Amino acid sequence: MSTTPVEDSMRSKITAALNPTTLEIHNDSASHSHHEAMQGSLSKETHFRLVITSSAFQSKMQPARHRMVYALLKEELDRAGGVHALQLKTKTPEEEERQVAREKAEKGQDIDTKVEKV
């Protein structure tokens, strides 16, 4: 049995629906366990930060992208004692390539905008 069932479920749903080239799931729950709202919660999976790069986000503004992810994770968000906070960073592959190029330019590195696929 997994020790991170909520994270595993999120990873599975996002991967199946969005086919991301980048998917980072950071469980920040330990940093928030002292908050009053978390008192009495038995879950160690309440606060997450996600970075998702997917071509499914093409031509969609950030709010629409976030609604897509919220819809995918509705069960995890609605469950009593489930996900309390979800921070999202959503990008298209092209946006990610531009970001990598910009970061390299700022560091004075050669600009090769190819991003490794996961």
Side-chain angles (χ1 to χ4, degrees):
M1 182 172 185
S2 174
T3 59
T4 57
V6 175
E7 180 178 339
D8 296 346
S9 176
M10 290 192 309
R11 185 177 307 283
S12 176
K13 289 178 178 183
I14 292 168
T15 299
L18 301 177
N19 191 28
T21 54
T22 300
L23 176 57
E24 297 174 17
I25 300 178
H26 305 273
N27 184 343
D28 296 330
S29 302
S31 301
H32 300 275
S33 61
H34 66 283
H35 292 178
E36 186 175 335
M38 297 295 93
Q39 298 307 308
S41 175
L42 301 176
S43 177
K44 302 293 185 213
E45 296 184 283
T46 57
H47 291 69
F48 289 93
R49 183 170 30 97
L50 279 59
V51 178
I52 308 168
T53 302
S54 173
S55 58
F57 296 141
Q58 200 69 43
S59 75
K60 292 179 175 53
M61 300 298 290
Q62 289 295 333
R65 296 173 185 187
H66 289 201
R67 283 191 297 272
M68 290 171 67
V69 176
Y70 295 148
L72 287 173
L73 304 180
K74 182 174 179 14
E75 182 181 337
E76 290 78 3
L77 292 163
D78 289 347
R79 182 181 304 132
V83 175
H84 175 76
L86 185 63
Q87 179 183 351
L88 301 174
K89 183 174 285 188
T90 56
K91 301 177 273 193
T92 65
E94 295 78 15
E95 289 167 343
E96 184 173 62
E97 288 178 7
R98 284 194 301 270
Q99 178 184 347
V100 168
R102 192 171 42 251
E103 289 170 358
K104 285 185 176 185
E106 289 171 0
K107 293 178 181 177
Q109 298 175 347
D110 290 334
I111 298 176
D112 177 9
T113 60
K114 292 291 181 193
V115 176
E116 287 188 39
K117 306 294 181 198
V118 288

